[in-house]
Amino acid sequence: MTNLLANSFNNTPSDPTTLISKPPETLRQLVEMAGVRFNGDASWDIQVYKDDVYRQILTKGSLGFGESYMAGHWDSGTLDELFHRLVSFDIDKKLVGWARLRLWGEILRQTFINLQSSERAFVVGEQHYDIGNDVFEAMLDRTMSYSCAYWQNADNLEQAQLNKLDLICHKLELKPGEKLLEVGCGWGGLARHAAKYYGVEVLGITVSKEQQKLAQERCIGLPVQIELMDYRDLKGQFDKVVSVGMFEHVGPKNYPIYFDTISRLLKDQGLFLLHTIGMYKTTNSLDSWTAKYIFPNGRIPSAEQLTSALNGRFLIEDWQNFGHDYDLTLMAWWDRFNAAWPQLEAKYSEQFYRMWKYYLMSCAGFFRSGQGQLWQVVLTKHGRTKVYRSVR
């Protein structure tokens, strides 16, 4: 293994800009150790259409790999399974040379710069959530839920998302007349469901103008208010607080102020449910391709980071992991998006199609590998007198 990962690549020119005519021996051996081949016969193998792919991988790592796919320079019959194998093998940690230098550069950037500051809070809304409601309406189910569904006792996406919404409402012990704060409300799916079926009054906030507009339309006639604002600017008191799929945009530097803000807003006898993607171990950066094209400034927390931030702030009443359900959710989203593409392609480019496919499939492989998890954590303030009973 030491020789395999040495800085001097067999068959690789010293100048990283020189076109590589065939896979460097080191790169070939690396992917084969993950059960993948260049131009092999398996459905998950990488079919290379332009030699520059190898240079892109060696010099830019995952960023070059993704950009080469977007450009149509390589393909795979089952992208999800390709990523399942590569992620399970930790191939990004085994690349050396120029790609590793780029990774360290990203780690240093995230270490010394608060990429999730209040000044940057709306960047992800503008770049990702505002791309077009038509894309999300085509891809998501009728609840417009853009987070992991709960597939227990469900055989389709919409039922799995309804299961998730009810699971959250039951865990929060919602009662008619209560005030619920939703930090990161998306297109209003949970706010609408909680107000309509559980009789609560909801304040939802988002950093996306497009989400706010559609959420307001979907919640007409219900006691739901949707505001465009950063969580740090919130005021008031709420019986219950929930945050679904938003914590990934907070960043470790801001975990203390995030939880202090929730504590300030939550009544002493209240409940807070945090629904977030989690990493199986602590990392210091986000995948470079994902950070550039999908979720700028995002960071996925580890259990270590989460519990450290919660220490002395909240009690953990319940912690459920159903990360493998995200694999099913992402594949269902892909099926819907792909089926709707003929209605979308006049507005969006072929490069967008390949970018979106790469995004959904790589994420599916990530969760299938077990490295990606999905946590629902129920939290209370110290001193709460009511006994909490876990719900499944």
Side-chain angles (χ1 to χ4, degrees), residues 331-349:
M331 295 307 292
W333 287 345
W334 162 248
D335 288 341
R336 290 178 58 84
F337 173 78
N338 192 44
W341 181 247
Q343 288 75 51
L344 296 170
E345 61 180 340
K347 180 179 177 182
Y348 300 93
S349 67

Side-chain angles (χ1 to χ4, degrees), residues 1 4-7 9 24 26-28 30-31 38 54-65 89-104:
M1 177 64 74
L4 178 62
L5 300 179
N7 279 326
F9 290 86
T26 301
L27 191 57
R28 183 190 66 78
L30 270 178
V31 299
F38 288 107
Y54 308 124
R55 182 183 66 84
Q56 291 292 322
I57 297 172
L58 290 173
T59 60
K60 298 169 69 176
S62 66
L63 178 61
F65 195 47
F89 181 60
D90 274 335
I91 196 166
D92 60 317
K93 304 299 188 296
K94 296 177 173 63
L95 282 173
V96 294
W98 289 89
R100 294 297 290 162
L101 287 174
R102 289 182 63 88
L103 176 60
W104 276 108

Side-chain angles (χ1 to χ4, degrees), residues 8-202:
S8 56
F9 290 86
N10 295 330
N11 299 327
T12 305
S14 57
D15 179 0
T17 64
T18 301
L19 188 68
I20 302 171
S21 60
K22 63 179 180 178
E25 187 63 17
T26 301
L27 191 57
R28 183 190 66 78
Q29 290 185 44
L30 270 178
V31 299
E32 287 189 1
M33 289 175 66
V36 176
R37 297 173 60 200
F38 288 107
N39 301 316
D41 298 327
S43 64
W44 56 80
D45 283 336
I46 302 168
Q47 309 303 322
V48 177
Y49 306 129
K50 188 172 181 180
D51 290 343
D52 188 57
V53 167
Y54 308 124
R55 182 183 66 84
Q56 291 292 322
I57 297 172
L58 290 173
T59 60
K60 298 169 69 176
S62 66
L63 178 61
F65 195 47
E67 289 182 335
S68 295
Y69 181 82
M70 289 168 60
H73 295 169
W74 67 270
D75 217 324
S76 174
T78 50
L79 267 182
D80 54 317
E81 188 56 28
L82 167 64
F83 280 102
H84 173 213
R85 290 166 180 268
L86 295 179
V87 174
S88 297
F89 181 60
D90 274 335
I91 196 166
D92 60 317
K93 304 299 188 296
K94 296 177 173 63
L95 282 173
V96 294
W98 289 89
R100 294 297 290 162
L101 287 174
R102 289 182 63 88
L103 176 60
W104 276 108
E106 178 62 19
I107 290 172
L108 290 172
R109 188 174 77 97
Q110 299 212 25
T111 299
F112 294 106
I113 300 175
N114 185 356
L115 299 179
Q116 301 83 16
S117 65
S118 56
E119 292 79 12
R120 299 170 183 261
F122 291 83
V123 172
V124 69
E126 295 166 356
Q127 182 169 324
H128 184 76
Y129 298 106
D130 288 347
I131 60 171
N133 282 337
D134 51 352
V135 170
F136 294 105
E137 286 177 306
M139 182 179 81
L140 307 178
D141 67 293
R142 287 186 296 178
T143 71
M144 289 296 289
S145 296
Y146 191 31
S147 56
C148 182
Y150 191 52
W151 287 84
Q152 184 170 309
N153 302 321
D155 58 7
N156 63 78
L157 178 63
E158 184 162 331
Q159 186 58 58
Q161 291 291 12
L162 288 170
N163 288 354
K164 187 265 300 293
L165 297 180
D166 279 325
L167 180 66
I168 290 172
C169 292
H170 287 145
K171 285 183 176 182
L172 284 170
E173 300 177 351
L174 294 183
K175 297 178 178 61
E178 289 186 329
K179 293 179 66 176
L180 171 66
L181 169 65
E182 185 178 7
V183 182
C185 64
W187 292 272
L190 175 58
R192 184 177 186 275
H193 189 84
K196 184 175 182 179
Y197 297 107
Y198 293 83
V200 297
E201 179 183 339
V202 186

